[in-house]
């Protein structure tokens, strides 16, 4: 469906109202604009969606819970942070989505993440609604004891609002296995219930095999599916990855396993460029640095004698595959042009909204393979959904079984994008495909419920 003057007018009218209703929330506006551009033509073509105000309803969260978290640091100082849970839509299942701890967290950031989560979760085919939460707490430089006390204090309020059939949080930036352990332990104590109320749990208390790897592996499985459409594969290609957290590390692992050469990794301090490639041995060292020692990527460059570019992003390094896996708006229009000039073939968004709207426009104009976050990084929440299933059944599946499910889910998501996003000349507009496929299922559920 090509965009017409009427589509553009409808989009601008819709966005004017949304911006007026949600002032000072640029990330939320950006996420909505991307979805609205894809789905408004569908809404306009279906009187039942239009008359039921489906898009207006889906851009208004069911509720936002905001609360203070008071805790004590190691020196005995009393500290106060702000926390949120944005319960966006439970139209197709209990609220589901991660928790982010980072000083840049605002209501706007959590609303963009919760909004995107609705469509991502819908694409997985599993019964999960959309939510996101977190705090402006900065875990950097905090002791384990401080992180534990913060998690416990946060759960003292959060526990009232979540439950295995109500809302099931998980990890995101700054919230990994350690934090989920502290949060789950406190929930169990307060609620006196052992239940699958969080995902990403440790394997000894209800966690699922492959959840740790799922987002990164899933992004690479999605990339494989996109490349296969053009008869290409991951093997022998050079990949540039940003980030060095949960998503980046396991995207690198799968890329290396499939025969790609991964030449970069980054954190908020800068990026390393390793022309030799981050092979299995170097990756093991990097994982230990980031996961166990909580160090900086700069130390990788010092250890292996490669370049470290302070304060810079890796998009100037020539590659065929680019996987932004750190944070939102980390790849802009200028970066996209540089990547294209250097021979880019495909992008898979491991992070949420890592490419600016301008970058997406530049990439799509050149018709490269562009896998948007909602589709490409859905493997993480998909395996969270499988963790919920295993918890409900009180069983654990093998690594092979979970990985097989993950591969099938990523292939199915790719097919949904293809079905809704294929253009007349054979190009697959994955952004439009993912938005429309994710939207339809939720919209149809809302229609069935009447005016709720
Ligand atoms: P982690 O906390 O494990 O890692 C985040 C990485 O990104 C770190 O390398 C961090 O560097 C870097 N980073 C974070 N914020 C910034 C910033 N403002 N500027 C530059 N670099 C930054 O998080 P995850 O790997 O879990 O998450 C990464 C992305 O993937 C996020 O967008 C998240 O929403 C998304 N995602 C995560 C899923 C999951 O299952 N965990 C699932 C789907 C998407 P530093 O250490 O210096 O802060
Ligand atoms: O953005 C995401 O999909 C996540 N952070 C994972 C959410 C989840 O519930 O596993």
């Amino acid at each position: 469906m090509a965009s017409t003057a009427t589509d553009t007018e409808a989009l601008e009218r819709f966005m004017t109202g949304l911006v007026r209703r949600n002032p000072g929330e640029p990330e939320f506006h950006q996420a909505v604009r991307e979805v609205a551009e894809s789905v408004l033509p569908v809404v306009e073509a279906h009187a039942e969606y239009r008359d039921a105000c489906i898009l207006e309803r889906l851009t208004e969260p069911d509720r936002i819970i905001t609360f203070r978290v008071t805790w004590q640091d190691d020196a005995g100082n009393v500290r106060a942070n702000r926390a949120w849970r944005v319960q966006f839509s439970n139209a197709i299942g209990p609220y589901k989505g991660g928790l982010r701890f980072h000083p840049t967290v605002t209501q706007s950031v959590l609303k963009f993440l919760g909004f995107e989560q609705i469509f991502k979760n819908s694409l997985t085919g599993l019964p999960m609604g959309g939510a996101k939460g977190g705090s402006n707490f900065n875990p950097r430089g905090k002791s384990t004891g401080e992180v534990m006390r913060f998690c416990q204090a946060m759960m003292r309020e959060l526990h009232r609002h979540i439950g295995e059939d109500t809302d099931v949080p998980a990890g995101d930036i700054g919230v990994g296995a350690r934090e989920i352990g502290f949060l789950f332990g406190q929930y169990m104590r307060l609620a006196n219930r052992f239940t699958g109320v969080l995902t990403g749990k440790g394997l000894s208390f209800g966690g699922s095999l492959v959840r740790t790897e799922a987002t990164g592996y899933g992004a690479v499985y999605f990339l494989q599916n996109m490349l296969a459409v053009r008869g290409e594969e991951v093997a022998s290609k050079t990949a540039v990855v940003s980030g060095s957290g949960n998503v980046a590390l396991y995207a690198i692992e799968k890329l290396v396993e499939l025969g790609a050469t991964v030449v970069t990794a980054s954190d908020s301090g800068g990026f390393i460029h390793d022309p030799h490639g981050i092979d299995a041995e170097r990756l093991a060292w990097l994982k230990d640095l980031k996961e166990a020692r909580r160090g900086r990527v700069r130390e990788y460059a010092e250890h292996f004698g490669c370049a470290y570019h302070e304060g810079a992003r890796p998009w100037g390094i020539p590659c065929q595959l680019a996987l932004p896996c750190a944070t939102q708006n980390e790849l802009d229009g200028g970066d996209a042009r540089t990547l294209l000039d250097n021979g880019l073939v495909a992008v898979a968004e491991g992070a949420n909204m890592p490419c600016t709207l301008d970058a997406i426009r530049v990439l799509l104009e050149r018709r490269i393979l562009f896998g948007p976050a909602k589709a490409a990084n859905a493997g993480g929440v998909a395996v969270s959904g499988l963790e919920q299933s295993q918890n409900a059944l009180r069983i654990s599946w093998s690594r092979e079984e979970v990985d097989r499910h993950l591969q099938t889910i990523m292939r199915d998501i790719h097919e949904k994008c293809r079905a809704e996003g294929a253009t007349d000349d054979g190009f697959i507009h994955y952004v439009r495909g993912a938005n429309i496929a994710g939207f339809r299922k939720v919209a149809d559920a809302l229609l069935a419920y009447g005016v709720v």
Side-chain angles (χ1 to χ4, degrees):
M1 214 180 301
S3 84
T4 63
T6 326
D7 290 343
T8 310
E9 220 173 88
L11 175 65
E12 293 314 323
R13 204 169 41 245
F14 180 79
M15 286 308 300
T16 302
L18 183 111
V19 170
R20 194 176 332 110
R21 290 192 298 279
N22 301 275
E25 298 190 338
E27 294 86 0
F28 180 54
H29 304 161
Q30 182 182 338
V32 172
R33 177 177 280 277
E34 191 227 89
V35 171
E37 188 171 358
S38 302
V39 306
L40 266 175
V42 177
V43 172
E44 293 299 318
H46 290 80
E48 66 278 23
Y49 290 156
R50 200 180 55 230
D51 294 347
C53 290
I54 298 292
L55 196 56
E56 288 78 359
R57 287 158 66 188
L58 276 179
T59 47
E60 196 63 50
D62 288 352
R63 69 188 65 76
I64 302 179
I65 300 139
T66 316
F67 52 101
R68 185 192 64 244
V69 180
T70 316
W71 57 285
Q72 228 168 354
D73 67 20
D74 287 345
N77 302 308
V78 175
R79 309 280 288 261
N81 283 95
R82 187 174 296 171
W84 294 262
R85 185 70 182 165
V86 180
Q87 296 181 332
F88 227 112
S89 168
N90 63 354
I92 61 164
Y95 301 109
K96 182 84 196 87
L99 296 171
R100 177 178 290 192
F101 293 172
H102 197 272
T104 57
V105 166
T106 59
Q107 181 165 297
S108 169
V109 168
L110 297 179
K111 279 173 72 177
F112 114 64
L113 289 162
F115 177 70
E116 293 211 326
Q117 201 84 42
I118 304 172
F119 308 98
K120 183 196 305 191
N121 293 2
S122 164
L123 281 172
T124 67
L126 301 171
M128 300 184 290
K132 201 81 185 191
S135 172
N136 58 4
F137 172 73
N138 185 359
R140 173 96 61 86
K142 303 286 190 300
S143 70
T144 301
E146 289 174 326
V147 169
M148 179 184 74
R149 290 195 293 283
F150 177 80
C151 288
Q152 292 176 340
M154 179 162 176
M155 190 51 85
R156 274 202 291 278
E157 175 62 33
L158 190 62
H159 82 103
R160 298 176 221 286
H161 310 288
I162 61 176
E164 71 276 25
D165 294 322
T166 312
D167 183 356
V168 182
D172 193 79
I173 291 177
V175 178
R178 176 182 67 169
E179 291 72 23
I180 294 292
F182 294 147
L183 290 161
F184 184 75
Q186 182 73 344
Y187 178 87
M188 200 179 56
R189 213 165 140 261
L190 292 168
N192 193 25
R193 298 178 73 229
F194 190 105
T195 175
V197 70
L198 293 160
T199 59
K201 299 187 291 298
L203 295 178
S204 61
F205 53 96
S208 173
L209 286 161
V210 194
R211 175 62 189 89
T212 305
E213 298 88 342
T215 312
Y217 280 18
V220 178
Y221 292 150
F222 193 83
L223 181 63
Q224 276 186 302
N225 279 285
M226 290 198 297
L227 289 168
V229 171
R230 294 198 179 165
E232 297 204 47
E233 53 183 24
V234 168
S236 309
K237 292 201 167 51
T238 299
V240 160
V241 175
S242 67
S244 52
N246 174 264
V247 179
L249 289 171
Y250 292 94
I252 296 174
E253 182 164 284
K254 188 53 77 177
L255 286 165
V256 172
E257 193 187 308
L258 294 174
T261 305
V262 183
V263 292
T264 65
S266 72
D267 58 26
S268 51
F271 78 92
I272 57 112
H273 177 206
D274 186 354
H276 162 279
I278 305 173
D279 58 17
E281 190 194 322
R282 292 180 180 207
L283 178 62
W285 193 92
L286 182 62
K287 273 191 198 170
D288 183 62
L289 173 75
K290 299 304 286 190
E291 295 181 337
R293 291 185 277 143
R294 296 180 186 273
R296 315 297 300 155
V297 288
R298 178 179 34 77
E299 298 168 56
Y300 177 102
E302 287 157 12
H303 187 78
F304 292 109
C306 68
Y308 173 66
H309 300 271
E310 177 128 21
R313 299 182 297 194
W315 314 122
I317 304 298
C319 63
Q320 291 90 48
L321 308 174
L323 288 91
C325 296
T327 193
Q328 64 270 10
N329 293 328
E330 55 164 319
L331 195 163
D332 63 22
D335 298 324
R337 283 185 201 93
T338 306
L339 284 163
L340 289 167
D341 290 347
N342 287 336
L344 181 73
V345 171
V347 174
E349 292 190 316
N352 286 309
M353 207 166 80
C355 295
T356 63
L357 290 173
D358 192 34
I360 296 174
R361 190 180 49 74
V362 170
L363 295 170
L364 289 176
E365 266 170 19
R366 289 275 284 271
R367 309 211 131 202
I368 63 130
L369 299 168
F370 178 75
K374 285 180 199 78
N377 76 30
V381 75
V383 174
S384 278
L386 301 180
E387 182 172 329
Q388 291 178 265
S389 306
Q390 292 168 81
N391 291 165
L393 295 168
R394 296 176 188 277
I395 56 166
S396 316
W397 295 331
S398 68
R399 196 179 164 77
E400 292 67 33
E401 194 160 3
V402 180
D403 191 44
R404 204 166 45 242
H405 278 301
L406 173 61
Q407 293 192 40
T408 305
I409 290 170
M410 297 315 294
R411 198 173 48 240
D412 289 351
I413 294 175
H414 182 270
E415 275 316 300
K416 289 175 193 170
C417 292
R418 196 217 289 252
E420 296 281 6
T423 60
D424 294 342
D425 60 358
F427 177 67
I428 303 177
H429 195 306
Y430 289 95
V431 175
R432 201 176 287 156
N435 286 335
I436 295 176
F439 171 80
R440 268 193 214 282
K441 182 175 171 187
V442 182
D444 290 342
L446 284 176
L447 279 185
Y449 300 145
V451 181
V452 292

